Amino acid sequence: MTNWLTDVFASPKPVVGMLHLSALPGDPGYDSTAGISAIVDRAKRELNALQSGGVDGVLISNEFSLPYLTDTERITSVTMARVIGELNRDLEVPYGVNVLWDARASIDLAVATDAAFVREIFTGVYASDFGLWNTNVGEVSRHRHRIGAGNVKLFFNIVPESAAYLATRDLSSVARSTVFATLPDALCVSGLTAGAPTDTQSVSIVKQAAGTVPVFVNTGVKAENVADQLSVADGAIVGTYFKKDGKFENSADQSRVEELMSAARSYRAQAAA
């Protein structure tokens, strides 16, 4: 039910800021000279910019582990747990985790770090830039139950980035069957890649099909379109816009966070009036 959003985020139409971690051990871009301490230091700066800028929540992901795996190496989630442990005393807003792109590893990390939610690809079969991308939501759901993660909310990205659904099914049908058969806590609708615009019509189609399940717009949200997106969606996940100069690879810029959050709060106040 959509009312769980305010229980978790204490805000209607929440905006969740992405905290993109630097490349981790084992990743092609990992800086072994700078080591883990450099990853932690950057993450702390990112967290400060996001929280000081006013986000309603934070989603911590290994965004710079490019190219991503669909069955991640153990060192990835182990290192993420280390970094989140370092951030723990500074975390002031609800937070989630995403081990790209491994649903089981994401849920394991959520349990280990007391994260409130997970965003992942839980359903479908895709032709992707990472090869043939398959999922097993039944097995993952049972794994969630076995490790006591029933309180961890699951955000299902039903329009994965850098991938296309192999079956010929319209978006409304995908959303309806996902809600009926796999019991998501929320659905996410994305553009082609991080930062790419998400078609508002697509968000509207999913929203109409999702019933009481909350729908988040997952990419391409900006200060100038956040009101339009939140007029349809139940929340937004924002990463690239919050970066300096709006570039994916840059660090978070508090002034850009403040700009978008000011627009989001203005919209929410008008909607509540």
Side-chain angles (χ1 to χ4, degrees):
M1 299 292 289
T2 54
N3 61 7
W4 71 256
L5 288 178
T6 52
D7 293 338
V8 172
F9 296 105
S11 177
K13 305 270 185 174
V15 175
V16 177
M18 292 294 303
L19 197 167
H20 293 165
L21 298 181
S22 304
L24 306 175
D27 295 335
Y30 175 59
D31 185 347
S32 58
T33 301
I36 303 298
S37 61
I39 298 172
V40 172
D41 289 345
R42 173 168 172 154
K44 287 183 175 180
R45 294 193 299 272
E46 298 273 309
L47 179 62
N48 181 65
L50 293 170
Q51 292 188 148
S52 297
V55 296
D56 303 304
V58 169
L59 177 56
I60 304 167
S61 75
N62 58 319
E63 210 79 13
F64 299 131
S65 288
L66 289 162
Y68 304 130
L69 296 168
T70 55
D71 182 11
T72 56
E73 297 172 343
R74 292 180 183 176
I75 188 64
T76 301
S77 54
V78 169
T79 306
M80 290 180 73
R82 156 75 189 279
V83 174
I84 295 169
E86 298 273 4
L87 298 177
N88 192 260
R89 70 186 66 181
D90 299 318
L91 280 160
E92 300 170 354
V93 297
Y95 60 94
V97 295
N98 187 186
V99 184
L100 298 164
W101 285 106
D102 188 327
R104 281 185 57 144
S106 293
I107 294 173
D108 289 345
L109 182 61
V111 171
T113 60
D114 290 324
F117 60 98
V118 163
R119 182 197 64 180
E120 257 299 344
I121 310 299
F122 290 101
T123 59
V125 182
Y126 307 89
S128 81
D129 293 340
F130 317 115
L132 184 63
W133 189 346
N134 200 0
T135 61
N136 189 336
V137 65
E139 196 284 326
V140 171
S141 295
R142 284 160 176 78
H143 177 70
R144 179 195 189 194
H145 174 72
R146 286 194 298 269
I147 65 172
N151 62 322
V152 177
K153 300 299 184 183
L154 304 187
F155 285 50
F156 283 41
N157 192 347
I158 63 168
V159 186
E161 303 161 33
S162 305
Y165 209 110
L166 282 183
T168 304
R169 302 176 64 201
D170 63 84
L171 188 55
S172 178
S173 297
V174 172
R176 287 199 307 272
S177 64
T178 299
V179 168
F180 176 81
T182 64
L183 308 176
D185 295 302
L187 300 178
C188 295
V189 186
S190 306
L192 178 63
T193 63
T198 300
D199 179 34
T200 306
Q201 183 177 3
S202 295
V203 179
S204 180
I205 289 170
V206 174
K207 178 63 181 169
Q208 291 174 20
T212 60
V213 175
V215 175
F216 278 64
V217 55
N218 195 48
T219 66
V221 178
K222 304 178 180 181
E224 55 265 33
N225 70 10
V226 66
D228 288 339
Q229 295 283 26
L230 291 181
S231 71
V232 179
D234 298 298
I237 298 175
V238 184
T240 301
Y241 184 82
F242 287 157
K243 305 299 189 74
K244 180 177 174 58
D245 299 324
K247 294 184 177 180
F248 171 74
E249 65 272 15
N250 288 347
S251 297
D253 180 339
Q254 183 177 331
S255 65
R256 292 178 68 90
V257 181
E258 291 172 345
E259 180 186 21
L260 186 146
M261 291 308 303
S262 176
R265 284 192 296 269
S266 294
Y267 166 76
R268 294 190 300 213
Q270 292 172 7

